[in-house]
Amino acid sequence: MIGYLKGPGRVWVGLALGAVVLFVLAPSVLSDFRLMLLGKYLCFAMVAVGIGLAWGRGGMLVLGQGVFFGLGAYLMAMHLKLSDAGPGKAPDFMLLYGSGVVPFWWEPFRSPVVTLVAILLLPAAIATVLGLAIFRRRVKGAYFAILSQALAAAFAILLIGQQTTTGGTNGLNGFRGFLGYNLFDPVNKQLIFSIAAAVLLAMLLLTWHLYRSRYGELLVAVRDQEERVRFLGYNPANIKLVAYAIAAAMAGVAGALFVPIAGIISPADVGVVPSIAFIIGVAIGGRNTLLGPVLGTILVAYAQTTLSEQFPGFWTYFQGALLILVIAFLPGGLASLWTVVKRGRRPGPPSAAPMAAAAADPALASEQKVSI
Amino acid sequence: MAIRTDYLEVRGLTVSFDGFKAVDAVDLTVYQSDLRFLIGPNGAGKTTIIDALTGLVGATGSAKFGATELIGRKSHQIARLGVGRSFQTASVFTELSVLQNLDIAAGAKRSPLALLGVRRGIPDIVSKALETISLTAEVNKPAGVLSHGQKQWLEIGMLLVQDSQVLLLDEPVAGMSADEREQTGQLLKQVGADRTVIIVEHDMEFMRRFADSVTVLHGGKVLSEGSVAQVQADPRVQEVYLGRANATPDLAEAMEPADNPADESAPSPRAKV
């Protein structure tokens, strides 16, 4: 992390490299199918950037980002279904399973502008309300993690139960157009991929700035010594709230872009399992770094696709084993590999790998050193 | 710096834990430039008074700094009013640099927009504090690599840049070497000149060397108050520290740090009431 702070040049080089790969290399060498797969990974990576901020820097183990990802995704999917159906008409699945009447809370999302604003604001707004309730009551650590995970479970169950208005287990799928563009046209597919790539790079820039700002330093201080920050005159709840809301907004935008790329959103994409998968990618990549969560998530998603094509049913075990290995032997994630190798695996002073030390044990990071 | 004439006035401060009165109707009046030491056996309620004054535990009674009532406010609000505290175990942000630690301490009143900006250079108030606490050379080091004494000085520096007018210090010299104690004492004399300072301390030698006035607590109540010589001569204080009133009258001897088991376990946080 300190390296990143000291060398802004490194980040610019990294982002420029990423831009070349995503805008030039990937579209020219990958088939449309593979490009869309990579597009999906980029959406997961956006969620990961937010998790890096909330968890890596803020110490909040957000085990339920699927909720915000799902919110963004369903908002976009509702709009696509409505615009496919045409003005005043109901989406196909409502005719199949329900009365064919569009519920009142679907109607606003016929408008692309309303949908876009909702995607940008609704997940962040919900995170703000939740965060106020949670952080003001000083809920943290494992309790916060369990709470956020329960939320993801509840959200998925809610979606499944509403067959006639959310598509139930099937979710929403079979989209034909995106803002008037045909989604089956390869050119438009490449365009959507480029949008996703640009959004991811923009999020990285924003997060990089946050990490360098005074707010970023304050967030680390809150993560490591929340009580101390309180006695300096800050309300830690507000500081955490900002990171939590930004992470939620990023997940929401990721979900919205995931829908036209993947062509489907269902409760299976937003529940407990995908929420944990996001965390795994971030942990493996290195939650304290800027690019670690992105690369870790893409790597894990790629491995999942490849390995589950080859050995269906085996992937979950592999994923679990990978997480345990990383947490046990490389708490700073793959991003810390270089530092660990350079140090020759000697247990140096705590400051030698400061972020890694904190990553080793979330409980340690949030431990209170105040005798009450 | 404008001289503030406000002082800390505590009246009838009471803290109960399930009916047990850890602090029982304590009155304290502390003026600025008066280094006030709070001493007393373990469980006397010293740290609890600081906790109550900073909103960490609920309390009844009154504690005013100037015209402002502190009791009933939240911790971060009390801090913003100019009441700062340190903790028994130095609690600096070990992964952040000395500069970052001080900059955060100086920034509680920054606007959200200012927080989103990147710091350019070293703020004046921070470089001044760095000089005061003799950490100018360490400005870019992570706070985690500082020595124990330097960490405590950094804590004091954080209180200075926080613009605290009242400093509540919980055993600032615990675990320090003799040299570090001397330096810390001089530092406290210096910063206490225009501030109101209360120091909870077990180290009697340090107390005798630097205290302007002393309040002795016992069982949550004020037992004695006055200059070092006055409290040392107080038979009730002798009784508390010696167990019997008619034992050796030399309190100074009884109050030697070696006689206090607390000092040996100083670096680890003790259970306190």
Side-chain angles (χ1 to χ4, degrees):
Chain A
M1 163 235 175
I2 288 158
Y4 284 112
L5 288 183
K6 278 182 188 160
R10 270 171 63 184
V11 171
W12 285 113
V13 169
L15 288 179
L17 206 68
V20 170
V21 169
L22 292 176
F23 291 120
V24 182
L25 198 63
S28 55
V29 300
L30 294 177
S31 69
D32 280 347
F33 174 71
R34 292 284 162 194
L35 192 67
M36 287 296 102
L37 270 182
L38 182 58
K40 275 167 70 171
Y41 305 162
L42 295 187
C43 294
F44 297 150
M46 293 174 203
V47 182
V49 175
I51 293 176
L53 177 69
W55 184 35
R57 294 297 162 109
M60 295 166 272
L61 180 48
V62 283
L63 271 180
Q65 288 305 84
V67 172
F68 305 114
F69 182 80
L71 272 172
Y74 272 88
L75 286 170
M76 177 60 90
M78 284 156 70
H79 171 68
L80 295 187
K81 287 310 275 183
L82 287 168
S83 80
D84 278 354
K89 298 217 176 81
D92 46 11
F93 77 95
M94 285 189 187
L95 300 169
L96 268 170
Y97 302 114
S99 57
V101 179
V102 177
F104 72 93
W105 52 273
W106 270 65
E107 286 295 346
F109 302 109
R110 285 193 193 276
S111 152
V113 177
V114 171
T115 308
L116 204 65
V117 171
I119 287 166
L120 288 173
L121 295 186
L122 200 60
I126 289 178
T128 304
V129 173
L130 281 173
L132 274 177
I134 294 171
F135 301 136
R136 288 266 159 99
R137 284 182 178 76
R138 306 191 187 178
V139 174
K140 48 194 157 192
Y143 298 100
F144 173 80
I146 291 166
L147 199 66
S148 61
Q149 176 143 92
L151 215 62
F155 184 57
I157 291 166
L158 180 73
L159 289 171
I160 292 169
Q162 308 295 315
Q163 174 82 26
T164 52
T165 53
T166 64
T169 318
N170 301 333
L172 301 176
N173 52 46
F175 315 112
R176 295 193 298 274
F178 176 61
L179 305 173
Y181 294 97
N182 184 343
L183 275 174
F184 299 107
D185 186 338
V187 177
N188 291 340
K189 283 187 177 182
Q190 292 204 357
L191 179 70
I192 291 173
F193 174 84
S194 301
I195 293 175
V199 169
L200 176 61
L201 292 175
M203 284 182 181
L204 280 171
L205 263 179
L206 172 75
T207 309
W208 176 52
H209 175 75
L210 283 178
Y211 285 0
R212 293 169 63 225
S213 72
R214 284 181 149 130
Y215 171 77
E217 295 171 350
L218 192 53
L219 189 61
V220 171
V222 170
R223 179 194 68 191
D224 293 348
Q225 299 259 16
E226 185 167 334
E227 288 308 311
R228 190 72 190 86
V229 174
R230 199 186 301 284
F231 290 105
L232 291 176
Y234 298 93
N235 187 351
N238 296 342
I239 297 158
K240 288 160 89 172
L241 192 64
V242 172
Y244 187 52
I246 293 175
M250 287 180 173
V253 170
L257 284 165
F258 176 84
V259 162
I261 289 174
I264 180 170
I265 184 70
S266 76
D269 299 314
V270 307
V272 171
V273 174
S275 293
I276 292 176
F278 290 138
I279 289 287
I280 292 177
V282 174
I284 286 173
R287 62 182 184 158
N288 270 315
T289 57
L290 181 64
L291 295 177
V294 170
L295 298 178
T297 301
I298 293 175
L299 194 75
V300 170
Y302 173 74
Q304 175 164 23
T305 310
T306 322
L307 289 175
S308 57
E309 274 169 10
Q310 311 263 327
F311 318 99
F314 168 75
W315 165 249
T316 13
Y317 299 104
F318 181 74
Q319 197 178 26
L322 201 59
L323 182 66
I324 292 169
L325 279 176
V326 166
I327 286 176
F329 298 108
L330 204 61
L334 293 177
S336 69
L337 199 57
W338 172 242
T339 327
V340 171
V341 170
K342 217 165 55 173
R343 279 195 296 130
R345 306 232 50 174
R346 266 178 297 115
S351 60
M355 290 305 180
D361 184 0
L364 191 79
S366 60
E367 188 183 50
Q368 298 307 305
K369 287 169 186 161
V370 183
S371 68
I372 297 173
Chain B
M1 192 182 293
I3 300 287
R4 302 261 308 252
T5 49
D6 295 339
Y7 60 96
L8 185 70
E9 188 177 38
V10 177
R11 290 291 173 268
L13 187 74
T14 302
V15 178
S16 310
F17 297 118
D18 286 333
F20 169 73
K21 284 188 175 162
V23 175
D24 192 358
V26 164
D27 293 347
L28 275 178
T29 307
V30 188
Y31 299 96
Q32 65 178 30
S33 83
D34 168 24
L35 279 195
R36 172 68 57 92
F37 277 62
L38 285 188
I39 64 168
N42 277 338
K46 306 180 295 291
T47 298
T48 311
I49 288 178
I50 291 190
D51 288 349
L53 293 180
T54 53
L56 192 57
V57 297
T60 57
S62 155
K64 280 186 178 164
F65 177 60
T68 317
E69 177 63 52
L70 304 177
I71 303 300
R73 289 179 198 267
K74 290 180 176 159
S75 298
H76 67 273
Q77 293 169 335
I78 294 173
R80 280 168 178 242
L81 289 171
V83 179
R85 71 172 292 176
S86 74
F87 293 90
Q88 205 180 349
T89 42
S91 49
V92 295
F93 309 116
T94 52
E95 293 189 15
L96 299 176
S97 70
V98 169
L99 172 59
Q100 287 171 322
N101 270 273
L102 289 170
D103 187 60
I104 286 173
K109 287 173 182 161
R110 284 187 191 123
S111 70
L113 210 63
L115 278 178
L116 289 178
V118 179
R119 178 187 47 252
R120 310 263 174 230
I122 301 177
D124 284 346
I125 187 168
V126 171
S127 44
K128 230 164 141 187
L130 279 168
E131 244 168 73
T132 310
I133 58 173
S134 321
L135 286 180
T136 308
E138 278 76 19
V139 63
N140 288 317
K141 280 190 191 163
V145 306
L146 297 179
S147 74
H148 174 73
Q150 288 175 321
K151 279 182 192 159
Q152 287 287 8
W153 297 335
L154 177 56
E155 285 248 26
I156 294 169
M158 287 163 77
L159 294 177
L160 297 182
V161 297
Q162 197 184 336
D163 198 22
S164 297
Q165 292 306 312
V166 180
L167 308 187
L168 307 171
L169 306 174
D170 198 353
E171 299 194 31
V173 299
M176 280 189 181
S177 69
D179 280 353
E180 286 174 331
R181 280 169 208 234
E182 180 62 25
Q183 282 189 55
T184 307
Q186 300 298 348
L187 173 62
L188 292 177
K189 280 275 185 205
Q190 187 189 341
V191 304
D194 49 9
R195 292 181 182 81
T196 306
V197 183
I198 296 183
I199 300 164
V200 167
E201 199 45 80
H202 274 293
D203 184 330
M204 295 305 151
E205 203 188 310
F206 182 72
M207 185 270 288
R208 280 196 304 270
R209 172 99 174 74
F210 292 103
D212 291 323
S213 60
V214 183
T215 299
V216 185
L217 292 164
H218 179 55
K221 291 192 168 94
V222 175
L223 187 70
S224 179
E225 195 168 279
S227 68
V228 176
Q230 281 168 338
V231 298
Q232 281 187 341
D234 189 328
R236 288 170 305 169
V237 176
Q238 292 172 1
E239 186 179 343
V240 164
Y241 270 90
L242 301 172
R244 312 190 297 280
N246 53 358
T248 167
D250 185 5
L251 180 68
E253 192 182 309
M255 284 173 155
E256 278 303 318
D259 286 352
N260 190 335
D263 260 7
E264 285 143 37
S265 61
S268 65
R270 289 190 295 281
K272 310 199 92 180
V273 181

